[in-house]
Amino acid sequence: MDVSFKGINCMRLDHNKEYACSPPQFVSSLQDRLQQLAFASDTETLQTVTASLGQQYYTTPACIPALLTVAKDCEQWQVRQLAAVELRKRVPKFWDEIEDA
């Protein structure tokens, strides 16, 4: 079950009955990274941003509600599409940790 508390998007985790939350700063910085990736024009930027996403954002179930927020709220269609693709790739990894809605 998804909840929102003071602007923080949360998703209930099944295995321990806790919530995975995406604070606004997490969502904002994730969106900034996705924007850098979507509009990158050189290989070095692509590699740096991709590594950063993998190490800082995609290692926690909190990336699921954050990516969903970016996919539905971002103004640039390229960033929304990238967030949706990354969300589709991450859901299977964290599926068992997210409670049925």
Side-chain angles (χ1 to χ4, degrees):
M1 176 163 92
D2 294 343
V3 295
S4 182
F5 179 72
K6 294 184 180 181
I8 299 174
N9 299 317
C10 297
M11 185 173 289
R12 185 113 185 180
L13 299 180
D14 188 36
H15 72 284
N16 57 9
K17 304 299 184 204
E18 293 179 3
Y19 285 95
C21 297
S22 299
Q25 311 89 292
F26 185 83
V27 175
S28 176
S29 60
L30 174 62
Q31 182 172 324
D32 289 344
R33 289 293 185 180
L34 291 172
Q35 188 171 6
Q36 289 175 344
L37 189 60
F39 298 107
S41 59
D42 62 286
T43 305
E44 185 177 333
T45 301
L46 287 171
Q47 291 173 340
T48 303
V49 174
T50 300
S52 171
L53 286 167
Q55 294 169 357
Q56 297 175 0
Y57 299 94
Y58 297 156
T59 58
T60 173
C63 73
I64 302 298
L67 285 166
L68 185 58
T69 300
V70 173
K72 71 180 184 73
D73 293 341
C74 186
E75 293 183 14
Q76 291 105 0
W77 67 265
Q78 299 93 330
V79 178
R80 287 194 314 267
Q81 181 178 9
L82 180 57
V85 168
E86 293 299 328
L87 178 63
R88 186 176 73 94
K89 292 193 295 189
R90 306 295 169 236
V91 165
K93 179 178 180 179
F94 297 111
W95 185 256
D96 292 335
E97 298 178 42
I98 300 171
E99 184 179 273
D100 294 336

